[in-house]
Amino acid sequence: MFRPDLPRRRGSAALALGILVGLVAAIIPVTRVVSVGAWVVGGIALAAVLLAVSVLLRRVRVPALGVTLIETALWVMTITAVFLHDSAWFAVVPSPESLPAVSQLISAAVQEIATGAAPLAASVPLSFFIVAAIGALAIVLDHVVITTRMPLLAAVALVAVALVPTIAVPAPMDVGAFVLLAVSVLFLLRTDTRTRLSAPTRRPSAASATALAIGAVAVVVAVVLTPLLPAPGTRAGPVAGGTSGIDPTLRLGDDLRRPNPVEVLRVRTTGPGAPYLRAVTLSSFAGVVWRPDQAEAQPLGAGDGFGPVRTDPAVARDERETIVEVERLDTPYLPVPFPATAIDGLTGEWGIVAENRTVIGNGADTSGQRYTVAVEAPDPSAEQMRAAPSRDSGIAPMYTEIPAETPPLVLDLAREVTAGTDSDFAAVAALQRWFRSSEFGYSLSAPVDDGFDGAGVDAVEQFLIEREGYCVHFASAFALMARSLGIPTRIVIGYLPGLSTGDTIDDRIVYSVTSDQLHSWPEVYFEGIGWVGFEPTNSLGSPPTFATTGNDPAGLLDDPAEPSADPTTSSAPTARPDTLDSPALGEAQNSTGPGAALPALLITALILWVLVSPALVREVWRRRQLAAARAGDVGSAWTVVQDTAIDLGIPVPPSESPRAFGARIVSEHDAPADAVGALVSAIERASYAPAGFIAAGRTRSDPSPAEAATTIRTALQASAPAPRRVLAAFAPRSLLIRPGSAAAGAGTTSRAR
């Protein structure tokens, strides 16, 4: 592999040092996202070793492609020894068992990044992900800067690495990291320029001095002026960078499908059980999306606040006090139990919407908030619910409006399910019971697979056909079907009751609410009682229950899916159904099932595709060049020969004429003299001769440019060693190194034999 006849690349050590400094500068902002740990030292040390090996290999004149391959092998062995030694051969060579381990580490790292709060703990998956990425980036930058001599491309990569965490976690500019990155980029550009010059001409020029001055001024201006620019508003509270939020437009699918839920709230209440927490109400529906209510909010502490809860005097009241502590939630929509009558403890400017009893931040958000909510909830009996009218109750018409394009299926099913009911309450109870029956199933994946991941009328129709979906579909279908019967409804977005932590504070049980308990449910208006929440989502949450003075012969609130154990409280499920009954999860946990090998197969297929894709791209491009050559383009035929030489490591200096290059490949690489002579003459005529002499200069015995190029290419490949031919096929250098560039002139060998 060593080629003593190869010229040494000047400045390799200096460029490698510049790359290392740039990597260190780019890594510093990452510490905003991931806590400082062993990954910092490990990543920098791995990059330093790889770059040092690169310099040593180039000093002994190892071909450039060989340098990259050795670096890659060292990178793989190091990562394997540190993170995958249990499943590796001899603790350093990956085995087939290592592939699933890699897949699991990457999957866990991605989940932590997607769901965690910055700064993330430096776990093993995250450390593996970052250290491996730093090593891979070092290899790529080494090739880009030292082999292909494109330091500007490397500068773009370094800036991108530093920019992403800076955007993800806003914070004051790290002046030291910025200056270090800027200096390393300028150093790479300057060092590369100097190493391209010959020794007699290597001296500071006016252009170089000007470029250096511009770079220095840019750094100084950025450092001095950036701190003077207006900074974005910072989040209140200690949980800056909370990872969960609330989308007020019923686009909850992506949020619910996020793995590894995080705790967003802690709740304590004076009543038994934990309450549902409401954040947003949606009453307007034009057929595509349910729109959040736009009622004007009054500043907290001004005016009448929430106002009194208006019900018939005969309806009992249940007064409670709930304390909410925000852990990782960043939204202007404050989760509160219903119906709230007073709130205390908030910091920042907040507004109360009395009409729907919600609280909205006016420039404030929930991060780090701790607040107390007083609730005065109506507690009607089942008989009072049956007697309360819903239709023709005098409420605003917007709560019963349905889009003109509502599918007939929705209307027909609404009438069919509620047929025979004798009250408005009986009708909505029948709808709830139907949705929670065995005819429907809860699924987070089926809506996506079947193309109805939404809440519009088309999505509702598809949901009623497929009968699988999640809370958005159940709530939308319930609300729309009830409205089609003239019953006023709206949709609420908030959180399911949390799970007990087992802890108590002031004799109140502490409940934990996680991000995967984000939920939507419908509310129905009853005259003399107000808005009452229902729970149609199959096998999730608990439907409302009402005390009765006698038997409930109609069985209005029977829940065949999951009856409540306590008729006076709402209970939370132990976990979302998708985490308990998901077939995909079952296959992942069964290591002997057919799904166990799927990650390994996918990774293997991806690796194979990565290996063969350069060869496929090179072959497609060669065929296009030959087609152009057959059409009379002599330049394309000549490019085929140059690309073949570059792939085989034969130098193609930009200063060498076609005739000199042709003579060299004939004498040193056994190219056929006749074909080379014909193609050289053709390219010279095409380049220099008047147009009228081009056709006349070629005799009938001469091969066409395309034929000559194919013959030369075949001969060059035949004269090259077998390993070189394999590398040329699967790692064609000409995809990155083009004829006429400085890297093409260096080549990897001056003689193939």
Side-chain angles (χ1 to χ4, degrees):
M1 179 174 288
F2 301 102
R3 302 292 304 179
D5 51 344
L6 279 177
R8 288 185 179 178
R9 301 301 300 271
R10 296 190 303 270
S12 295
L15 290 172
L17 179 61
I19 294 171
L20 182 61
V21 174
L23 278 172
V24 172
I27 291 171
I28 291 176
V30 180
T31 57
R32 297 181 181 179
V33 181
V34 182
S35 298
V36 175
W39 66 267
V40 177
V41 177
I44 295 175
L46 177 59
V49 170
L50 292 173
L51 293 170
V53 169
S54 165
V55 172
L56 292 175
L57 292 176
R58 285 186 168 87
R59 285 188 179 277
V60 296
R61 296 181 174 88
V62 174
L65 189 57
V67 172
T68 302
L69 291 176
I70 293 174
E71 285 182 287
T72 303
L74 179 59
W75 170 68
V76 171
M77 294 173 66
T78 304
I79 296 298
T80 302
V82 175
F83 296 99
L84 306 168
H85 54 273
D86 291 338
S87 61
W89 291 324
F90 310 108
V92 294
V93 180
S95 68
E97 289 76 19
S98 301
L99 293 179
V102 171
S103 176
Q104 292 172 7
L105 286 171
I106 294 177
S107 177
V110 172
Q111 290 176 7
E112 290 183 33
I113 293 171
T115 62
L120 301 169
S123 63
V124 173
L126 273 178
S127 298
F128 165 84
F129 187 87
I130 297 176
V131 172
I134 292 173
L137 183 59
I139 296 173
V140 172
L141 293 179
D142 175 81
H143 181 82
V144 169
V145 173
I146 301 178
T147 301
T148 62
R149 297 291 184 171
M150 292 187 288
L152 187 58
L153 184 59
V156 173
L158 290 171
V159 171
V161 171
L163 190 61
V164 170
T166 302
I167 295 175
V169 184
M173 184 183 69
D174 190 330
V175 176
F178 173 80
V179 172
L180 189 63
L181 180 61
V183 170
S184 65
V185 170
L186 292 173
F187 176 81
L188 287 175
L189 295 174
R190 176 56 180 159
T191 303
D192 179 73
T193 303
R194 288 176 60 85
T195 55
R196 290 172 183 268
L197 301 175
S198 59
T201 60
R202 193 182 304 164
R203 61 180 184 275
S205 62
S208 299
T210 302
L212 184 60
I214 292 174
V217 170
V219 172
V220 172
V221 169
V223 171
V224 174
L225 294 185
T226 299
L228 303 179
L229 297 176
T234 57
R235 297 185 175 96
V239 192
T243 61
S244 187
I246 296 176
D247 188 336
T249 60
L250 277 187
R251 297 186 178 95
L252 308 184
D254 291 339
D255 291 326
L256 296 178
R257 283 185 287 269
R258 291 175 66 181
N260 288 355
V262 296
E263 185 180 51
V264 293
L265 302 168
R266 288 208 159 200
V267 180
R268 289 176 280 150
T269 185
T270 54
Y276 279 66
L277 298 175
R278 303 161 78 256
V280 185
T281 60
L282 303 93
S283 305
S284 176
F285 184 49
V288 179
V289 295
W290 290 81
R291 299 189 180 279
D293 296 341
Q294 300 294 325
E296 183 177 355
Q298 291 186 345
L300 180 64
D304 296 331
F306 290 105
V309 178
R310 295 182 174 87
T311 62
D312 286 344
V315 176
R317 303 288 182 92
D318 181 15
E319 297 184 2
R320 298 188 183 187
E321 183 181 80
T322 301
I323 299 175
V324 181
E325 296 181 9
V326 177
E327 298 294 327
R328 291 181 177 178
L329 180 66
D330 184 3
T331 176
Y333 305 99
L334 192 74
V336 294
F338 182 77
T341 56
I343 188 167
D344 184 48
L346 289 174
T347 58
E349 296 184 6
W350 294 86
I352 289 177
V353 181
E355 181 180 347
N356 54 29
R357 296 185 182 269
T358 58
V359 183
I360 302 176
N362 181 18
D365 58 46
T366 57
S367 298
Q369 298 283 353
R370 182 185 183 276
Y371 51 97
T372 303
V373 185
V375 175
E376 189 177 334
D379 188 17
S381 66
E383 288 79 9
Q384 289 172 326
M385 290 296 298
R386 292 191 189 96
S390 182
R391 284 173 275 210
D392 303 321
S393 58
I395 197 169
M398 66 176 293
Y399 296 107
T400 56
E401 292 177 349
I402 64 173
E405 64 272 20
T406 300
L409 175 65
V410 176
L411 311 178
D412 295 341
L413 283 176
R415 288 191 292 264
E416 179 183 336
V417 172
T418 60
T421 56
D422 57 0
S423 68
D424 296 340
F425 174 64
V428 294
L431 283 174
Q432 176 180 264
R433 190 168 58 252
W434 180 61
F435 281 118
R436 294 182 69 85
S437 72
S438 58
E439 293 191 38
F440 286 84
Y442 184 93
S443 172
L444 287 174
S445 58
V448 180
D449 296 340
D450 296 331
F452 61 98
D453 191 14
V457 291
D458 293 337
V460 169
E461 180 183 32
Q462 190 67 21
F463 164 68
L464 292 174
I465 294 173
E466 301 292 340
R467 303 204 173 181
E468 277 196 342
Y470 55 93
C471 59
V472 167
H473 302 94
F474 284 96
S476 298
F478 180 102
L480 187 59
M481 292 173 70
R483 284 190 176 191
S484 73
L485 301 173
I487 297 174
T489 60
R490 66 187 180 190
I491 291 179
V492 180
I493 297 177
Y495 286 96
L496 288 165
L499 300 177
S500 172
T501 63
D503 300 331
T504 59
I505 299 178
D506 297 332
D507 296 327
R508 299 179 184 180
I509 298 175
V510 178
Y511 295 87
S512 174
V513 180
T514 54
S515 57
D516 66 339
Q517 291 180 306
L518 185 63
H519 190 49
S520 64
W521 63 93
E523 290 182 339
V524 180
Y525 182 80
F526 292 91
E527 187 175 343
I529 296 175
W531 290 98
V532 177
F534 285 79
E535 184 56 276
T537 303
N538 193 293
S539 71
L540 190 63
S542 296
T545 56
F546 305 93
T548 179
T549 56
N551 295 327
D552 186 14
L556 296 179
L557 293 175
D558 287 349
D559 180 12
E562 186 180 341
S564 175
D566 186 344
T568 63
T569 63
S570 295
S571 60
T574 57
R576 294 194 72 93
D578 55 288
T579 64
L580 294 176
D581 305 324
S582 171
L585 182 60
E587 292 176 5
Q589 293 175 340
N590 181 8
S591 60
T592 60
L598 184 58
L601 291 175
L602 292 176
I603 293 176
T604 302
L606 179 61
I607 292 174
L608 291 176
W609 172 251
V610 171
L611 290 176
V612 303
S613 57
L616 294 176
V617 173
R618 174 70 271 171
E619 180 63 19
V620 170
W621 179 242
R622 184 181 65 82
R623 289 178 180 272
R624 292 185 60 182
Q625 290 174 322
L626 289 176
R630 284 190 288 270
D633 186 354
V634 178
S636 294
W638 185 248
T639 302
V640 169
V641 175
Q642 290 180 309
D643 286 346
T644 301
I646 292 173
D647 291 339
L648 294 173
I650 301 172
V652 186
S655 59
E656 193 172 38
S657 67
R659 185 166 294 276
F661 174 71
R664 181 160 55 83
I665 62 175
V666 169
S667 62
E668 295 185 3
H669 301 281
D670 297 336
D674 294 342
V676 171
L679 186 56
V680 167
S681 298
I683 193 66
E684 288 178 341
R685 288 195 299 271
S687 302
Y688 306 114
F693 290 89
I694 293 177
R698 178 186 163 197
T699 65
R700 293 185 178 180
S701 61
D702 290 339
S704 68
E707 293 171 345
T710 302
T711 302
I712 298 170
R713 179 175 180 274
T714 302
L716 291 177
Q717 289 179 324
S719 68
R724 176 61 61 186
R725 291 199 300 271
V726 173
L727 287 176
F730 290 98
R733 299 171 67 242
S734 59
L735 292 179
L736 296 176
I737 300 174
R738 303 304 304 147
S741 66
T748 59
T749 179
S750 61
R751 187 173 180 84
R753 292 179 295 175

